[in-house]
Amino acid sequence: MSPIQLSQRARQTPPSPIRRLAHLATAAKAQGTRVYHLNIGQPDIKSPAEFIEGVRLYRDEVVAYESSEGNKRLREEWAGYVDRTLGLNLAPENFLITTGASEALVFVFMTCCDPGDEILIFDPTYANYIGFAAISGVKLVSILTKLEDNFALPSCEEIVAKISPRTRGILLCSPNNPTGTVYSRAELELLLEICNERNIFLIVDETYREIVYDGLSPLSIFHLDPRSERVIVVDSLSKRFSLCGARIGCLITSNQDVLAKTLNQAQARLAVSSIDQFAAAHMLSTIGPDYVEGIRCEYEARRDVLFDALEKIPEVVAQKPKGAFYTVVRLPVDDTDAFAAFLLSDFCCDGETVFVAPASGFYMTNSLGRNKIRLASVLERDALVKAAGLLEKGLKAYAAKR
Ligand SMILES: Cc1ncc(COP(=O)(O)O)c(C=O)c1O
């Protein structure tokens, strides 16, 4: 009998490009090789003590469902945090708490689009947008940004040319994963203008908002228009508070229809973890600005260390990222999927190797990423220098082998 058929959706949802080679890393480790992980954006920095204290303070005898829109105190505290950090006075009722930014993004796609509707994204892109689109039946339409231009937005004409009668919105991630680009106020203004003119949504993923360098201040799309019916912000505690495992994110918008219809979906999945929300609310009510500023400084120092090391590797092309903790780098190889696999399976220098993410999975047109990788600076500075050294030696060994 032939195998039972799965849905087209299941077959079209790609594996995560950062996890695709994980089995090779596991095999290398099993052989005693130390693997430096530059492939995944899992911060190594300690989560705030205030969050752990919040978990300890949880006292309810029944761990009950929270309300579907999220813990009331957490929504208030998050609005307070946004006010303190951005000077924006947003109503807690405009926040819908989700299981990470990931769930917020799936909700936004489901709320704004029918199957086959289109969302414009900038390529290279956060790879999981491709998965979220596959789950929700949304067609992503890519607009190319280039390494040589530091992944700046293309011209208004190029963006508008991609809009079709089925376009429901534009999705921007700033500071950007995978490129580290921080989009300027003028670029945000341009997108807002286009969305207003065409009456489509502007969805901004601000997961890395405070992680910006070189004296930049965190910029939210809400600074341009806090009350716009067309603007939806996706936010998360995962990165700025090193809380990836807490799974706390949110969707923020003034559009009451979007909130109400998304809440119906949120009710179908019942609620986000009560204990994590309780602890997050406690953390936001007690934590000072030093924690996020400490994280920001550390990532900036790591960016500098990694960038200096990359600049010394012959034929490697990189642009200094302005935020987040990623960078897309061009290598002198024609297939970085094969090269990344080589590093894990056929290369080892003094018992060590490095795990990099091939950039093909971050491009809608996979072939455009074939000669690039994405690096995440989520290791301590000394380890980053070692990892960059291993990358250089790996490139030499790969060239010699060929
Ligand atoms: C740009 C971007 N958006 C969303 C997410 C998902 O974040 P969360 O852990 O809040 O689901 C990530 C995680 O890496 C990300 O890089």
Side-chain angles (χ1 to χ4, degrees), residues 68-69 96-99 102-114 135-136 232 251 257-272:
S68 298
E69 60 268 40
L96 181 91
I97 305 297
T98 53
T99 305
S102 305
E103 189 185 49
L105 284 155
V106 175
F107 280 165
V108 171
F109 283 9
M110 296 284 209
T111 298
C112 300
C113 302
D114 284 316
I135 292 167
S136 53
I232 303 173
L251 169 164
D257 206 22
V258 167
L259 282 168
K261 299 298 185 297
T262 309
L263 179 58
N264 293 344
Q265 296 173 55
Q267 286 174 350
R269 64 74 161 115
L270 302 176
V272 176

Coordinates of all heavy atoms in Angstrom, one line a residue, residues 68-69 96-99 102-114 135-136 232 251 257-272:
S68 N -7.7 34.7 27.4 CA -7.1 34.5 26.0 C -6.3 35.7 25.5 O -5.4 35.5 24.8 CB -8.2 34.1 25.0 OG -8.8 32.9 25.4
E69 N -6.7 36.9 25.9 CA -6.0 38.1 25.5 C -4.7 38.3 26.3 O -3.9 39.1 25.9 CB -6.9 39.3 25.5 CG -7.4 39.7 26.9 CD -8.8 39.1 27.2 OE1 -9.0 37.9 26.8 OE2 -9.6 39.8 27.8
L96 N -2.2 42.1 22.7 CA -2.7 40.8 22.9 C -1.5 39.9 23.1 O -0.6 39.8 22.2 CB -3.4 40.4 21.6 CG -4.0 39.0 21.6 CD1 -5.5 39.1 22.0 CD2 -4.0 38.4 20.2
I97 N -1.5 39.2 24.2 CA -0.3 38.4 24.6 C -0.4 37.0 23.8 O -1.4 36.4 23.7 CB -0.3 38.1 26.1 CG1 -0.3 39.4 26.9 CG2 1.0 37.2 26.5 CD1 0.9 40.3 26.7
T98 N 0.8 36.6 23.3 CA 0.9 35.4 22.4 C 2.0 34.5 22.9 O 2.9 35.0 23.6 CB 1.1 35.8 20.9 OG1 2.3 36.7 20.9 CG2 -0.1 36.5 20.4
T99 N 2.0 33.3 22.4 CA 3.1 32.4 22.7 C 4.3 32.8 21.8 O 4.5 32.2 20.7 CB 2.7 30.9 22.4 OG1 1.5 30.7 23.1 CG2 3.7 29.9 22.8
S102 N 6.3 34.4 17.5 CA 6.0 33.4 16.5 C 4.4 33.2 16.3 O 3.9 33.3 15.2 CB 6.6 32.0 16.8 OG 8.0 32.2 17.0
E103 N 3.8 33.1 17.5 CA 2.3 32.9 17.4 C 1.6 34.2 16.9 O 0.7 34.2 16.1 CB 1.7 32.5 18.7 CG 0.3 32.1 18.6 CD -0.4 31.8 19.9 OE1 -0.2 32.6 20.9 OE2 -1.1 30.7 20.0
A104 N 2.2 35.3 17.3 CA 1.6 36.6 16.9 C 1.7 36.7 15.4 O 0.7 37.2 14.7 CB 2.4 37.8 17.6
L105 N 2.8 36.3 14.8 CA 2.9 36.4 13.3 C 1.9 35.5 12.6 O 1.3 35.9 11.6 CB 4.4 36.1 13.0 CG 5.4 37.2 13.3 CD1 6.8 36.7 13.5 CD2 5.3 38.2 12.1
V106 N 1.8 34.3 13.1 CA 0.8 33.4 12.5 C -0.6 34.0 12.6 O -1.4 34.0 11.6 CB 0.8 32.0 13.2 CG1 -0.3 31.1 12.6 CG2 2.2 31.3 13.0
F107 N -0.9 34.5 13.8 CA -2.2 35.2 14.0 C -2.4 36.4 13.0 O -3.5 36.5 12.4 CB -2.4 35.8 15.4 CG -2.7 34.7 16.5 CD1 -2.6 35.1 17.8 CD2 -3.3 33.5 16.1 CE1 -2.9 34.2 18.8 CE2 -3.6 32.6 17.1 CZ -3.4 32.9 18.5
V108 N -1.4 37.2 12.8 CA -1.5 38.3 11.9 C -1.8 37.9 10.5 O -2.6 38.4 9.8 CB -0.2 39.2 12.0 CG1 -0.2 40.2 10.9 CG2 -0.1 39.8 13.4
F109 N -1.0 36.8 10.1 CA -1.2 36.3 8.7 C -2.7 35.8 8.6 O -3.4 36.1 7.6 CB -0.3 35.2 8.4 CG 1.1 35.6 8.1 CD1 1.6 36.9 8.2 CD2 2.1 34.7 7.6 CE1 2.8 37.3 7.9 CE2 3.4 35.1 7.2 CZ 3.8 36.4 7.4
M110 N -3.2 35.1 9.6 CA -4.5 34.5 9.6 C -5.6 35.6 9.6 O -6.6 35.5 8.9 CB -4.8 33.6 10.8 CG -3.9 32.4 10.9 SD -4.4 31.2 9.7 CE -3.8 29.7 10.6
T111 N -5.3 36.7 10.3 CA -6.3 37.7 10.5 C -6.4 38.6 9.2 O -7.5 39.0 8.8 CB -6.0 38.6 11.7 OG1 -6.1 37.8 12.9 CG2 -7.0 39.7 11.9
C112 N -5.2 38.9 8.6 CA -5.2 39.9 7.6 C -5.4 39.2 6.2 O -5.7 40.0 5.2 CB -3.8 40.6 7.6 SG -3.6 41.5 9.1
C113 N -5.1 37.9 6.1 CA -5.1 37.3 4.7 C -6.0 36.1 4.6 O -6.2 35.3 5.5 CB -3.7 36.8 4.4 SG -2.4 38.1 4.5
D114 N -6.6 36.0 3.4 CA -7.2 34.8 3.0 C -6.2 33.9 2.3 O -5.2 34.5 1.8 CB -8.4 35.0 2.0 CG -9.6 35.6 2.8 OD1 -9.9 35.0 3.9 OD2 -10.2 36.5 2.3
I135 N 1.9 27.7 6.7 CA 0.9 27.2 7.6 C -0.4 28.0 7.3 O -1.5 27.4 7.4 CB 1.3 27.5 9.1 CG1 2.5 26.7 9.5 CG2 0.2 27.3 10.0 CD1 3.2 27.1 10.8
S136 N -0.3 29.3 7.0 CA -1.6 30.1 6.9 C -2.0 30.2 5.4 O -3.0 30.9 5.2 CB -1.4 31.4 7.5 OG -0.2 32.0 7.0
I232 N 0.5 47.1 12.5 CA 0.5 46.0 13.5 C 1.9 45.8 13.9 O 2.8 45.6 13.1 CB -0.1 44.7 13.0 CG1 -1.5 45.0 12.5 CG2 -0.1 43.6 14.0 CD1 -2.2 43.8 11.7
L251 N 1.1 41.0 20.2 CA 0.7 41.8 19.0 C 0.2 43.1 19.5 O -0.6 43.1 20.5 CB -0.3 40.9 18.3 CG -1.2 41.3 17.1 CD1 -1.8 40.0 16.5 CD2 -2.3 42.2 17.6
D257 N -10.7 46.1 15.1 CA -11.2 45.0 14.4 C -10.2 43.9 14.4 O -10.5 42.7 14.6 CB -11.6 45.4 13.0 CG -12.6 44.6 12.4 OD1 -13.4 43.9 13.1 OD2 -12.7 44.5 11.1
V258 N -8.9 44.2 14.1 CA -7.8 43.2 14.1 C -7.8 42.6 15.5 O -7.7 41.4 15.6 CB -6.5 43.9 13.7 CG1 -5.3 43.0 14.0 CG2 -6.5 44.3 12.3
L259 N -7.8 43.4 16.5 CA -7.7 42.8 17.9 C -8.9 41.9 18.2 O -8.7 40.8 18.7 CB -7.7 44.0 18.9 CG -6.4 44.7 19.1 CD1 -6.6 46.0 19.9 CD2 -5.4 43.9 19.7
A260 N -10.1 42.3 17.8 CA -11.3 41.5 18.1 C -11.2 40.1 17.3 O -11.5 39.1 17.9 CB -12.6 42.2 17.8
K261 N -10.9 40.2 16.0 CA -10.9 39.0 15.2 C -9.7 38.1 15.6 O -9.8 36.8 15.5 CB -10.8 39.3 13.7 CG -12.0 40.1 13.2 CD -13.3 39.4 13.4 CE -14.5 40.1 12.8 NZ -14.8 41.5 13.4
T262 N -8.6 38.7 16.0 CA -7.5 37.9 16.4 C -7.8 37.2 17.7 O -7.4 36.1 18.0 CB -6.2 38.7 16.5 OG1 -6.0 39.4 15.3 CG2 -4.9 37.8 16.7
L263 N -8.5 37.9 18.6 CA -8.9 37.3 19.9 C -9.7 36.1 19.7 O -9.6 35.1 20.5 CB -9.6 38.4 20.7 CG -10.1 37.9 22.1 CD1 -8.9 37.4 23.0 CD2 -10.8 39.0 22.8
N264 N -10.6 36.1 18.6 CA -11.3 34.8 18.4 C -10.4 33.6 18.2 O -10.7 32.5 18.6 CB -12.3 35.0 17.2 CG -13.4 36.0 17.5 OD1 -13.6 36.4 18.7 ND2 -14.0 36.6 16.5
Q265 N -9.3 33.9 17.4 CA -8.4 32.8 17.2 C -7.7 32.5 18.5 O -7.4 31.3 18.8 CB -7.3 33.2 16.2 CG -7.8 33.5 14.8 CD -6.7 34.1 13.9 OE1 -5.7 33.5 13.8 NE2 -6.9 35.2 13.4
A266 N -7.3 33.5 19.3 CA -6.6 33.3 20.5 C -7.5 32.5 21.5 O -7.1 31.6 22.3 CB -6.3 34.6 21.2
Q267 N -8.8 32.7 21.4 CA -9.8 31.9 22.3 C -9.8 30.5 21.9 O -9.9 29.6 22.7 CB -11.2 32.5 22.2 CG -11.2 33.9 23.0 CD -12.6 34.6 22.8 OE1 -13.4 34.2 22.0 NE2 -12.8 35.6 23.6
A268 N -9.6 30.2 20.6 CA -9.6 28.8 20.1 C -8.4 28.1 20.7 O -8.4 26.9 20.9 CB -9.6 28.8 18.6
R269 N -7.3 28.8 20.9 CA -6.1 28.1 21.5 C -6.0 28.3 23.0 O -5.0 28.0 23.6 CB -4.8 28.5 20.8 CG -4.3 30.0 20.9 CD -3.8 30.3 22.2 NE -3.0 31.6 22.2 CZ -3.3 32.7 22.8 NH1 -4.4 32.8 23.5 NH2 -2.5 33.7 22.8
L270 N -7.1 28.8 23.5 CA -7.3 29.0 25.0 C -6.4 30.1 25.6 O -6.9 31.2 25.8 CB -7.2 27.7 25.8 CG -8.1 26.6 25.3 CD1 -7.9 25.3 26.1 CD2 -9.6 27.1 25.5
A271 N -5.1 29.8 25.8 CA -4.3 30.8 26.6 C -2.8 30.5 26.4 O -2.4 29.5 26.0 CB -4.7 30.8 28.0
V272 N -2.1 31.5 26.8 CA -0.6 31.4 26.9 C -0.3 31.0 28.4 O -1.1 31.3 29.3 CB 0.1 32.7 26.6 CG1 1.6 32.7 26.8 CG2 -0.2 33.2 25.2

